[in-house]
Amino acid sequence: MRTLIVSEFITLDGVVESPAWTFEVVEHDDAAYEIKGREQADAGCLLLGRRSYDEFAPVWPTMEEFADYNAMPKYVVSTTLENPEWNNTSVLRSLDEVAALKESDGEGTILVHASATLAQGLAAAGLVDRYHLLVFPVVLGTGKRLFPTDTEATQRLTLTEHAAYDNGVQLNVLDVMR
């Protein structure tokens, strides 16, 4: 079974929406982004929600630093997307199809980037194995959150890796306990 990892930039109060605050509010530190290189090297495919796909597809193919992502298989969970144009992209119509992807013999991890709604659905379906969270020392108060606040969805997590950087960003790698 393949490991499904949700990777997010997140504020102290759990907001992941429109992460311009990652470079507008917090000083850049290359060391904090080392995890992104590891993610890209370990990923066998990229899994995105429809909105993230719509934001990434026009931009990432033109960026050299995303060459590995551009080449790898990409899956978009969507009931409405037809004929995706981004190289090597397929559409999954349901979380059942995501579960089948996890059970497949593919190599590498399944990496979910910047798709909070999808991540919540995956977590509720018991499909998330690990979280890679870069926690920024910012409190926004409002915005789309990674973890729902209006349900009793409980996930038990265990910290498997942690680092703190000079700019106040923290890396938390958390495995989902089953």
Side-chain angles (χ1 to χ4, degrees):
M1 179 184 302
R2 298 171 79 178
T3 300
L4 192 146
I5 298 171
V6 171
S7 178
E8 294 284 352
F9 297 138
I10 189 167
T11 65
L12 282 173
D13 57 342
V15 175
V16 294
E17 182 177 30
S18 302
W21 39 264
T22 61
F23 59 87
E24 291 174 348
V25 178
V26 178
E27 182 180 327
H28 182 83
D29 183 344
D30 284 341
Y33 295 92
E34 180 272 337
I35 186 73
K36 296 300 173 189
R38 281 192 283 152
E39 288 173 350
Q40 193 171 35
D42 294 344
C45 67
L46 192 58
L47 180 65
L48 300 166
R50 174 63 188 268
R51 278 180 250 145
S52 294
Y53 171 82
D54 286 344
E55 290 176 16
F56 293 167
V59 179
W60 280 22
T62 66
M63 300 176 74
E64 182 58 35
E65 62 264 34
F66 297 120
D68 289 342
Y69 286 137
N70 290 322
M72 75 175 54
K74 290 166 284 301
Y75 298 91
V76 181
V77 180
S78 174
T79 58
T80 58
L81 180 62
E82 301 291 335
N83 305 315
E85 295 180 16
W86 193 0
N87 175 52
N88 208 7
T89 298
S90 301
V91 178
L92 302 178
R93 299 290 180 203
S94 69
L95 293 180
D96 289 338
E97 290 185 25
V98 174
L101 178 64
K102 276 191 70 170
E103 294 292 332
S104 71
D105 290 332
E107 293 184 27
T109 61
I110 299 169
L111 186 60
V112 179
H113 258 302
S115 295
T117 301
L118 175 59
Q120 287 180 8
L122 293 167
L127 297 173
V128 176
D129 299 301
R130 180 174 297 141
Y131 292 94
H132 289 180
L133 305 178
L134 278 176
V135 183
F136 285 73
V138 175
V139 175
L140 296 177
T142 63
K144 185 83 168 164
R145 297 180 188 288
L146 177 59
F147 301 106
T149 58
D150 60 347
T151 68
E152 294 183 25
T154 300
Q155 291 184 69
R156 184 165 176 242
L157 308 171
T158 185
L159 185 67
T160 61
E161 181 181 347
H162 173 77
Y165 304 100
D166 291 340
N167 62 356
V169 172
Q170 295 181 34
L171 167 66
N172 292 308
V173 175
L174 302 143
D175 282 349
V176 176
M177 302 300 297
R178 293 191 170 81

